[in-house]
Amino acid sequence: MNRSAKNWMHLCQVLSVIAIVVGYFLWTILIPIQDFDTIGSEELLRVQKELALNYPLGRFLLYVGFFGFVSSTIYLIIVKIKVRINKRKRVPFK
């Protein structure tokens, strides 16, 4: 794999992390809530949808960021393994 392809994969990872962070801040509630433990899961979801900055966009960015980060990481690991296998095949044993 050439160097420019690796650079693109690293850029994809960085952009994915940025998308995850931005998505989290759009998705989460930034206003403190009292008696958080007494709220049920359905009520919490309703409150989160109402009080979040942009719940659907944040959720979308979280999913896209996680998918991009995981897929680019798997790709880089596979390429690293292939390079090591090819190096072992080229080097004769003494």
Side-chain angles (χ1 to χ4, degrees):
M1 184 164 106
N2 58 11
R3 190 172 269 314
S4 66
K6 280 186 181 179
N7 289 341
W8 280 105
M9 284 294 116
H10 289 294
L11 178 65
C12 181
Q13 284 184 327
V14 169
L15 292 176
S16 297
V17 170
I18 292 170
I20 290 170
V21 170
V22 170
Y24 178 77
F25 281 111
L26 290 175
W27 173 76
T28 192
I29 303 170
L30 298 175
I31 301 168
I33 297 177
Q34 292 180 350
D35 300 328
F36 187 71
D37 296 332
T38 60
I39 298 176
S41 60
E42 294 172 2
E43 180 70 18
L44 180 63
L45 182 61
R46 184 188 65 75
V47 169
Q48 186 174 10
K49 285 182 179 181
E50 288 177 9
L51 297 178
L53 293 175
N54 193 341
Y55 183 82
L57 179 62
R59 185 172 164 203
F60 174 75
L61 285 175
L62 281 172
Y63 287 147
V64 168
F66 283 132
F67 177 75
F69 186 79
V70 169
S71 61
S72 61
T73 301
I74 290 171
Y75 180 75
L76 286 172
I77 289 171
I78 289 171
V79 167
K80 186 72 169 177
I81 290 171
K82 284 183 179 180
V83 167
R84 288 197 179 203
I85 289 172
N86 288 337
K87 281 184 181 179
R88 286 189 178 184
K89 286 181 180 178
R90 286 188 227 153
V91 177
F93 292 107
K94 293 181 180 180

